[in-house]
């Protein structure tokens, strides 16, 4: 006991030393920040006083530029000090969370290494109080048990012996407790963290990173890293910590947050995960959705359908020919086969369809259509079609330019002879010349400009052309219906979500543009929801990037796919080093909830459960809709009384979510939040949303609305039900009227009646 007290006092002493150092640094940085602020104000005042406000010549502009450069430099210094100050303020609350004792090979003394969110070092003595969790040395804590270990250093690999691993609970600069463990993360810490209530935004997992997760986070060599992880395995959290690690690792190479992009399924999830990187001391990276990319790249008059709208439409359709046609159309347009057809079409369009014409100007012959075509097809360095045509346009206009001057003189002579324009010969002649030039430009742009939307539309309007291009390829049996339905939609100026990726692919190939080429690393969440054609688009959009893909095949909604999808992705993106990793342990849900949700998928178990035991899920039957609504309202009140702060009512569709929202308003005074595709934030309290909008989110308690055979019967429905149930951390209840879904008729399931 005395030993423990002595050790506790020793740790308290070290914590106090660290806190005192941080407080001194805070005082120093606050003073520095105040000085930087004064410098910034002074620089701006000097610029106002010493420069002209309406520059008259280049010298004035040079003077202004010098002041602007100085102001930008001082502003950057101010921002850096401000960021550092905020990091130290955060570190003051809990400077570190772990300690390892190591004896490096060739050294006589044991080093005590404390690990936290940031480096805390005395720059005068070079003594390190705390090491950043991303430092190579800190990796020993996550990767090794007690005993031998190694880490990378500038001089090579350092061998060492790990004699202690200690974890701390520090709140408000006070040590609450610590304990030693042999494995990377003690189950006690993990239990404590996982037992907390959820929050409206994702938290960091830096204190509880597991060995298999750390291997993913610290991988800097793999250009395409694919993580297949079961629901609740921490895929998204790992990806965000991987970004933080890569930013730390890439400081020397000039990598910054603007070089990273997170591609999420919707804006709700983007907002949900947006606080993790700032919590880890990094600026937020760019976040977007595929919908947003498509909307920005398509002309304003076009109306692309969003992913959520497509899913809602698909879910709402009853089983039958119309739904089958929709699904087959989605499947076909996302396939390798359709990519091949588009590639053939681009080649065919270039060789057969571009409407070259003989070119004349002012009676002077410039080029025959065949000469232009030959020049266009002589494309030895594979310049994209649109750029090649623009080059031809420039060549023509360069020839026309001197002819226009001669033509202008002739026009002036003609105007001089006309009555009524004697006083405006030159301006009127120039106006006529401009109109004539515009007409000429319009005529050559009939073949030097490509309208990708019209080009795509023609593929579906001209059935014979489509069939010609698809010779030797396997097409859906109802291909003619797919062609006619798509043609009808496109003629109305509407683009189905399933047409967004093909149209983007066509546009990128034809125009050869890389609008997001500054991106060096892309995180793609819910990777299983994308088709091969999406990855072809990503390959062109992010042509200089490495990738981290996060997916769960069991959460694929509208299509039938397997692990082979990831092999397709590897072939498409074609990176030098690719790696597939599998995370099969689920940490989000309690043991009981996770075991329950695994049974929904069938007899084959896809993940193991972390041993955090709570109440068994409940299946509740009601004999009518009014009774069901009342019981759900009572459950909401009960969960809130038990201290659960976030409750999700997860429905099959947005239509169902809207229905139960208005019914529950009649039975409870609790504030209810109806989440729609227009929302960008998730609030605490009770959220009512569709299963597809709930992907990636988590709630303390989940109530599944109408888990009946009528709602959930197809394989498509099975995945939706699985997604809905796996959102629960602590409590799961399913409500239904009529007959229970067949996916829930497994043994040992507790049922409650009215």
């Amino acid at each position: 006991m005395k030993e423990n007290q002595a050790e506790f006092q020793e740790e308290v002493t070290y914590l106090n030393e660290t806190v005192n150092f941080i407080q001194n640094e805070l005082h120093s940085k606050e003073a520095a920040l105040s000085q930087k602020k004064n410098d910034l104000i002074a620089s701006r005042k000097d610029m106002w006083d010493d420069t002209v406000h309406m520059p008259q010549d280049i010298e004035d502009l040079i003077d202004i530029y010098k002041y602007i450069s100085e102001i930008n430099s001082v502003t950057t210094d101010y921002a850096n000090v401000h960021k550092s100050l905020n990091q130290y303020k955060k570190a003051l609350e809990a400077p570190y969370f772990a300690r390892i004792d190591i004896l490096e090979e060739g050294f006589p003394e044991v080093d005590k290494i404390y690990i936290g969110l940031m480096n805390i070092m005395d720059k005068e003595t070079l003594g390190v109080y705390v090491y950043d969790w991303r430092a190579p040395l800190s990796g020993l804590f996550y990767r090794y048990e007690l005993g031998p270990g190694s880490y990378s250093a500038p001089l090579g690999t350092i061998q060492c012996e790990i004699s202690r691993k200690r974890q701390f609970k520090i709140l408000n600069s006070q040590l609450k407790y610590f304990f030693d463990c042999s494995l990377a993360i003690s189950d006690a810490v993990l239990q404590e963290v996982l037992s907390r209530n959820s929050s409206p935004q994702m938290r960091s997992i830096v204190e509880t990173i597991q060995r298999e997760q750390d291997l993913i986070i610290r991988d800097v060599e793999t250009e395409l890293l694919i993580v297949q992880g079961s629901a609740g395995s921490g895929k998204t959290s790992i990806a965000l910590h991987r970004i933080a690690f890569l930013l730390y690792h890439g400081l020397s190479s000039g990598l910054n947050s603007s070089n990273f992009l997170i591609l999420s399924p919707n804006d709700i999830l983007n907002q949900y995960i947006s606080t993790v990187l700032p919590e880890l001391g990094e600026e937020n990276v760019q976040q977007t959705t595929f919908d947003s990319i498509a909307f920005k790249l398509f002309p304003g008059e076009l109306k692309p359908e969003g992913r959520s709208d497509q899913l809602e439409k698909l879910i709402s359709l009853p089983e039958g020919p119309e739904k089958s046609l929709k699904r087959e159309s989605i499947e076909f347009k996302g396939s390798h086969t359709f990519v091949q057809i588009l590639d053939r079409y681009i080649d065919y369009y270039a060789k057969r369809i571009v409407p070259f014409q003989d070119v004349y100007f002012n009676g002077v012959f410039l080029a025959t259509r065949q000469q232009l075509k030959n020049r266009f097809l002589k494309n030895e360095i594979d310049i994209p079609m649109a750029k090649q045509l623009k080059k031809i346009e420039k060549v023509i206009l360069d020839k026309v330019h001197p002819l226009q001057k001669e033509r202008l003189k002739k026009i002036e002579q003609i105007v001089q002879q006309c009555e009524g324009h004697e006083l405006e010969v030159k301006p009127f002649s120039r106006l006529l010349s401009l109109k004539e030039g515009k007409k000429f430009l319009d005529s050559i742009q009939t073949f030097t400009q490509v309208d990708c939307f019209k080009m795509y539309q023609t593929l579906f309007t001209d059935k014979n052309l489509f069939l010609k291009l698809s010779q030797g390829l396997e097409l859906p049996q109802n291909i003619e219906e797919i062609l006619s339905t798509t043609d009808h939609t496109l003629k109305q100026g509407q683009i189905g979500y399933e047409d967004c990726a093909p149209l983007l692919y066509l546009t990128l190939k034809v125009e050869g543009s890389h609008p997001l080429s500054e991106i060096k690393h892309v995180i793609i969440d819910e990777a299983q929801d994308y088709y091969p054609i999406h990855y072809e688009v990503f390959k062109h959009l992010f042509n200089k990037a490495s990738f981290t893909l996060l997916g769960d095949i069991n959460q694929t909604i509208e299509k039938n796919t397997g692990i082979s999808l990831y092999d397709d992705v590897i072939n498409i993106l074609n990176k030098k080093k690719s790696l597939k990793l599998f995370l099969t342990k689920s940490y989000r849900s309690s043991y009981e909830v996770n075991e329950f949700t695994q049974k929904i998928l069938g007899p084959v178990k896809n993940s193991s459960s972390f041993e955090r035991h709570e109440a068994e899920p409940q299946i509740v039957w009601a004999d009518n809709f009014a009774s069901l609504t009342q019981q759900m309202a009572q459950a909401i009140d009960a969960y809130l009384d038990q201290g659960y702060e976030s409750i999700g009512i997860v429905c099959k569709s947005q239509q169902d979510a809207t229905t139960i929202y208005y019914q529950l308003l009649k039975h409870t005074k609790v504030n209810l939040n109806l989440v729609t595709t227009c929302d960008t934030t998730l609030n605490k309290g009770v959220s009512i949303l569709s299963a597809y909008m709930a992907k990636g989110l988590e709630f303390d308690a989940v109530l599944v609305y109408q888990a009946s055979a009528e709602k959930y019967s197809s394989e498509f429905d099975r995945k939706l039900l699985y997604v809905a149930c796996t959102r629960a951390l602590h409590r799961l209840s399913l409500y239904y009227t009529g007959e229970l879904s067949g996916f829930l008729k497994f043994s040992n399931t507790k049922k409650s009646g009215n």
Side-chain angles (χ1 to χ4, degrees):
M1 180 66 77
K2 288 181 180 178
E3 246 180 59
N4 289 341
Q5 288 177 346
E7 283 193 57
F8 189 87
Q9 190 54 49
E10 181 186 323
E11 291 294 0
V12 168
T13 301
Y14 187 82
L15 177 59
N16 290 338
E17 289 175 8
T18 305
V19 168
N20 288 337
F21 176 80
I22 293 173
Q23 287 173 334
N24 289 334
E25 284 293 297
L26 281 172
H27 293 317
S28 171
K29 290 188 180 298
E30 284 169 350
L33 189 68
S34 178
Q35 182 59 50
K36 294 292 181 186
K37 184 178 179 180
N38 292 335
D39 291 345
L40 184 57
I41 293 170
S43 295
R44 290 176 175 176
K45 185 177 184 300
D46 289 345
M47 178 176 172
W48 179 260
D49 293 341
D50 299 342
T51 61
V52 295
H53 299 161
M54 296 291 288
Q56 301 296 320
D57 53 35
I58 190 68
E59 290 184 2
D60 290 342
L61 289 172
I62 290 172
D63 288 341
I64 292 171
Y65 178 76
K66 287 178 181 177
Y67 278 99
I68 290 175
S69 297
E70 181 185 342
I71 288 171
N72 287 341
S73 176
V74 176
T75 301
T76 301
D77 290 344
Y78 177 86
N80 290 336
V81 174
H82 189 269
K83 179 181 177 182
S84 180
L85 181 67
N86 286 337
Q87 288 176 330
Y88 272 100
K89 283 180 179 178
K90 184 171 181 59
L92 188 63
E93 297 174 16
Y96 48 83
F97 54 82
R99 164 187 156 184
I100 52 173
D101 292 357
I102 64 169
L103 179 63
E104 292 185 357
E105 198 173 66
F107 287 83
E109 293 183 2
V110 171
D111 288 323
K112 298 174 183 177
I113 308 298
Y114 288 82
I115 301 169
L117 286 176
M118 61 177 284
N119 279 319
I120 300 175
M121 184 178 76
D122 188 331
K123 292 181 181 178
E124 292 182 4
T125 65
L126 298 182
V128 180
Y129 287 89
V130 182
Y131 285 86
D132 192 299
W133 68 276
R134 297 166 291 184
L137 185 59
S138 302
L140 295 168
F141 171 69
Y142 297 108
R143 293 197 178 186
Y144 294 99
E145 301 178 19
L146 298 182
S150 65
Y151 67 94
S152 297
L155 296 177
T157 301
I158 306 297
Q159 303 294 330
C160 63
E161 188 75 18
I162 304 169
S163 57
R164 170 170 286 158
K165 300 181 72 171
R166 178 167 286 175
Q167 292 174 260
F168 302 93
K169 182 66 175 180
I170 300 172
L171 288 174
N172 300 321
S173 306
Q174 299 295 315
L175 178 61
K176 298 300 179 182
Y177 59 82
F178 70 82
F179 49 84
D180 293 338
C181 57
S182 60
L183 297 175
I185 303 293
S186 168
D187 276 1
V189 172
L190 202 49
Q191 286 275 10
E192 191 272 331
V193 170
L194 295 176
S195 296
R196 298 173 188 165
N197 283 345
S198 70
S199 69
Q201 293 182 303
M202 184 180 283
R203 300 186 182 101
S204 77
I205 59 168
V206 67
E207 298 175 38
T208 58
I209 294 170
Q210 302 295 288
R211 184 178 186 278
E212 70 274 14
Q213 296 172 334
D214 187 65
L215 290 170
I216 297 169
I217 290 168
R218 293 176 188 266
D219 186 338
V220 296
E221 296 179 355
T222 304
E223 292 183 347
L224 172 57
L225 182 61
I226 299 174
V227 182
Q228 159 61 30
S230 57
S233 58
K235 300 182 294 295
T236 306
S237 292
I238 292 167
L240 294 170
H241 287 70
R242 177 166 162 75
I243 290 175
F245 178 80
L246 291 174
L247 281 168
Y248 179 87
H249 185 81
L251 285 174
S252 58
S253 59
L255 205 62
N256 59 60
S257 58
S258 66
N259 299 132
F260 288 79
L261 182 116
I262 301 171
L263 195 65
S264 298
N266 56 59
D267 290 326
I268 288 277
L269 186 56
N270 271 336
Q271 178 61 28
Y272 179 65
I273 65 178
S274 65
T275 55
V276 174
L277 284 168
E279 190 179 334
L280 295 172
E282 296 293 348
E283 293 179 13
N284 253 327
V285 303
Q286 298 179 64
Q287 295 174 259
T288 190
T289 63
F290 186 79
D291 296 26
S292 297
I293 292 173
F295 293 175
K296 286 177 184 175
L297 295 181
F298 291 148
E301 66 272 12
L302 299 177
K303 306 168 191 172
E305 179 184 41
R307 162 76 170 163
S308 297
D309 295 328
Q310 183 200 59
L311 286 173
E312 183 67 20
K313 189 182 295 181
L314 201 57
I315 291 167
S316 301
L317 285 172
E319 293 297 330
E322 188 180 355
K323 189 168 189 172
S324 297
L325 176 65
K326 182 71 173 172
R327 291 187 66 180
E328 285 190 38
S329 178
I330 293 170
E331 192 86 27
F332 171 67
K333 290 173 183 175
S335 67
H336 288 293
T337 300
F338 196 47
V339 172
Q340 288 179 273
I341 291 171
L342 290 173
D343 286 338
R344 290 179 182 183
Y345 183 34
I346 293 167
D347 185 62
Y348 184 87
Y349 191 95
K351 293 176 178 176
R352 304 287 184 87
I353 298 180
V354 177
F356 289 108
Q357 302 170 11
D358 295 341
V359 180
Y360 298 85
F361 183 81
N362 194 24
V364 178
F365 172 76
L366 298 176
T368 67
R369 56 180 298 184
Q370 192 59 48
Q371 286 173 330
L372 294 173
K373 186 171 184 178
N374 290 343
R375 183 187 182 93
F376 173 66
L377 294 176
K378 192 178 180 181
N379 186 11
E380 295 174 355
I381 57 174
D382 200 25
I383 299 172
M385 186 195 305
K387 290 184 178 180
Q388 179 76 341
L389 289 171
K390 272 295 169 190
K391 283 182 67 177
I392 290 173
E393 181 182 303
K394 185 179 183 302
V395 169
I396 294 171
L397 293 177
D398 286 346
K399 289 181 179 180
V400 166
H401 186 65
L403 298 175
Q404 281 181 311
K405 292 181 179 179
E406 294 177 15
R407 176 62 178 162
L408 179 59
K409 291 177 183 177
K410 287 184 180 180
I411 293 173
E412 287 177 354
Q413 292 171 1
I414 296 169
V415 172
Q416 281 177 341
Q417 298 171 7
C418 297
E419 292 184 9
H421 297 288
E422 296 86 353
L423 300 177
E424 51 180 7
V425 172
K426 286 191 177 294
F428 188 67
S429 299
R430 183 169 293 280
L431 177 63
L432 292 176
S433 178
L434 288 172
K435 286 184 176 180
E436 195 174 72
K438 176 67 166 60
K439 186 177 180 181
F440 175 77
L441 183 62
D442 289 343
S443 71
I444 66 170
Q445 284 186 342
T446 58
F447 60 84
T448 63
Q449 284 193 344
V450 183
D451 186 324
C452 291
F453 178 73
K454 287 183 179 177
M455 184 178 171
Y456 185 71
Q457 187 178 350
T458 300
L459 188 60
F460 294 92
T461 303
D462 191 339
K463 185 174 71 174
N464 292 330
L465 171 63
F466 186 93
L467 295 176
K468 183 176 183 177
L469 294 170
S470 58
Q471 283 183 2
L473 301 175
E474 187 176 346
L475 300 176
Q477 289 185 346
N478 55 0
I479 187 62
E480 292 195 8
E481 289 180 85
I482 292 173
L483 294 177
S484 61
T485 303
T486 306
D487 182 42
H488 175 73
T489 303
L490 294 174
K491 280 178 178 174
Q492 293 178 321
Q494 298 175 349
I495 307 173
Y497 181 77
E498 62 271 25
D499 291 300
C500 287
L503 184 50
L504 267 179
Y505 177 75
L506 186 73
T507 303
L508 292 168
K509 289 275 283 188
V510 168
E511 296 181 354
S513 59
H514 301 287
L516 296 167
S517 58
E518 77 281 1
I519 300 298
K520 300 295 188 293
H521 192 86
V522 183
I523 304 284
I524 301 179
D525 206 356
E526 303 296 343
Q528 77 284 346
D529 287 344
Y530 297 103
Y531 287 84
I533 199 162
H534 289 97
Y535 289 102
E536 294 282 0
V537 169
F538 299 150
K539 182 179 180 179
H540 285 83
L541 278 176
F542 314 113
N543 61 324
K544 297 178 182 177
S546 55
F547 292 83
T548 300
L549 270 59
L550 317 162
D552 180 10
I553 295 299
N554 293 317
Q555 294 187 63
T556 308
I557 296 180
E558 86 284 3
K559 59 177 177 173
N560 295 317
T561 191
I563 298 297
S564 61
L565 169 68
Y566 300 136
D567 295 324
D568 290 341
V569 174
I570 290 172
N571 291 332
I572 292 167
L573 297 180
N574 192 28
K575 295 297 179 181
K576 289 180 183 177
K577 184 177 179 182
S578 302
L579 181 64
K580 284 187 294 184
L581 294 174
F582 296 83
L583 299 177
T584 57
K585 193 161 192 175
S586 179
Y587 298 95
R588 174 191 295 139
S589 304
S590 68
Y591 179 89
E592 289 73 18
V593 169
N594 194 55
E595 291 294 302
F596 178 91
T597 56
Q598 286 299 301
K599 292 174 185 175
I600 294 173
L601 295 175
V604 180
K605 194 170 183 180
N606 293 282
S607 75
S608 59
S609 307
F610 180 74
E611 294 278 346
R612 175 171 61 84
H613 291 281
E614 298 196 50
E616 290 279 354
Q618 287 190 321
I619 296 178
V620 182
W621 173 80
D623 60 3
N624 57 63
F625 181 68
S627 175
L628 179 142
T629 307
Q630 189 173 6
Q631 290 189 71
M632 290 182 72
Q634 290 170 355
I636 291 168
D637 292 338
Y639 285 142
L640 291 172
D641 288 343
Q642 290 169 34
Y644 296 118
E645 297 175 351
S646 70
I647 297 172
I649 300 175
V650 187
C651 310
K652 181 179 177 181
S653 67
Q654 187 65 45
Q655 185 178 345
D656 287 345
T658 303
T659 299
I660 193 61
Y661 169 73
Y662 284 109
Q663 291 301 315
L664 284 171
L665 286 176
K666 302 174 185 177
H667 292 85
T668 181
K669 294 180 180 179
V670 173
N671 185 38
L672 304 174
N673 305 305
L674 178 62
V675 180
T676 70
T677 55
C678 298
D679 291 317
T680 57
T681 57
L682 188 71
N683 299 315
K684 262 192 177 182
V686 182
S687 299
I688 305 175
L689 69 172
S690 63
Y692 58 80
M693 286 295 292
K695 272 192 170 189
L697 305 179
E698 57 186 35
F699 302 92
D700 294 330
V702 166
L703 289 75
V704 178
Y705 167 68
Q706 277 295 16
S708 63
E710 182 183 355
K711 288 287 182 185
Y712 296 96
S713 57
S714 67
E715 284 301 310
F716 179 30
D717 299 335
R718 184 200 293 266
K719 298 293 180 66
L720 286 170
L721 184 59
Y722 175 74
V723 169
C725 292
T726 51
R727 301 308 96 200
L729 274 77
H730 307 293
R731 295 289 186 271
L732 173 63
S733 302
L734 300 93
Y735 295 81
Y736 75 103
T737 57
E739 184 183 350
L740 181 66
S741 169
F743 304 129
L744 298 170
K745 291 181 178 178
F746 38 77
S747 59
N748 300 322
T749 301
K750 183 178 180 181
K751 299 183 182 180
S752 301
N754 288 356

